[in-house]
Amino acid sequence: MPVWISHAAGVLGEMWQNVSTSTNASIVPSGAPDAEFYSAGISYDSRITGYTPNLFLGNPGFFNSSQTFDPTGSFDNTYIRFTGQTYLNAGVNTFLVPHDDGVTLNIAGIGLVLDQPGPTSPVSNTFDVTAPSAGLYDFTLLYCECLGPPAVLEFAVNGVTVGVPEPGSALLFSAGGFGLLVALRPRRRK
């Protein structure tokens, strides 16, 4: 299966604001999230974008928002659960997860592959995960931001940011879309 399929669909994010569990990524807050969003790619850095949910996440178009959700409020004491799929090659896959603050990462069928749930200054974790077979794997990435800026979170597998199509996939999608348009165009009668 081509790698580009794994990163085309995006990732669902569920966000809780002003939560006391924001100092431990392994503790999911109780109750419904304050907002949900889709991420085009998990690559965020408040030192570049800003320290509000809107700025940090690149104005993702929040939905299912609670009445208390504030997309322009401080990003401090925020908790996010990302769920999605990523493609893994059979055998060794290299993961890169820079973060500030806590993060845990679970890959379905493999288990917990990163467990650094507490506050930290910006750190970069590079590690290998061995997949039993090639294919799409469900993941859950839990992230907490606390103790003030900066906020940093990235997630890449084998050099590709999770949630972002590889450069070659744009060409494949374009070619497929063009083929579909040709097939569906109205035909002239003779």
Side-chain angles (χ1 to χ4, degrees), residues 131-165:
S133 60
L136 291 173
Y137 286 78
D138 292 336
F139 71 84
T140 301
L141 177 69
L142 304 176
Y143 170 70
C144 65
E145 168 54 29
C146 59
L147 307 175
V152 176
L153 181 64
E154 295 182 40
F155 178 20
V157 177
N158 298 323
V160 178
T161 300
V162 171
V164 175

Side-chain angles (χ1 to χ4, degrees), residues 40-134:
I42 300 176
S43 182
Y44 308 114
D45 190 333
S46 71
R47 297 170 295 191
I48 298 168
T49 58
Y51 198 70
T52 70
N54 258 352
L55 295 175
F56 181 69
L57 298 168
N59 300 303
F62 295 104
F63 59 95
N64 292 334
S65 300
S66 71
Q67 290 183 318
T68 60
F69 177 64
D70 183 2
T72 62
S74 173
F75 198 64
D76 201 20
N77 298 320
T78 297
Y79 187 97
I80 302 176
R81 175 174 48 205
F82 293 94
T83 54
Q85 293 185 320
T86 191
Y87 183 86
L88 299 180
N89 297 316
V92 176
N93 296 267
T94 301
F95 282 56
L96 173 65
V97 183
H99 61 94
D100 171 330
D101 286 298
V103 66
T104 67
L105 175 59
N106 193 304
I107 307 292
I110 297 173
L112 186 64
V113 298
L114 179 60
D115 187 18
Q116 294 192 347
T120 182
S121 58
V123 295
S124 187
N125 296 102
T126 302
F127 54 96
D128 292 332
V129 172
T130 302
S133 60

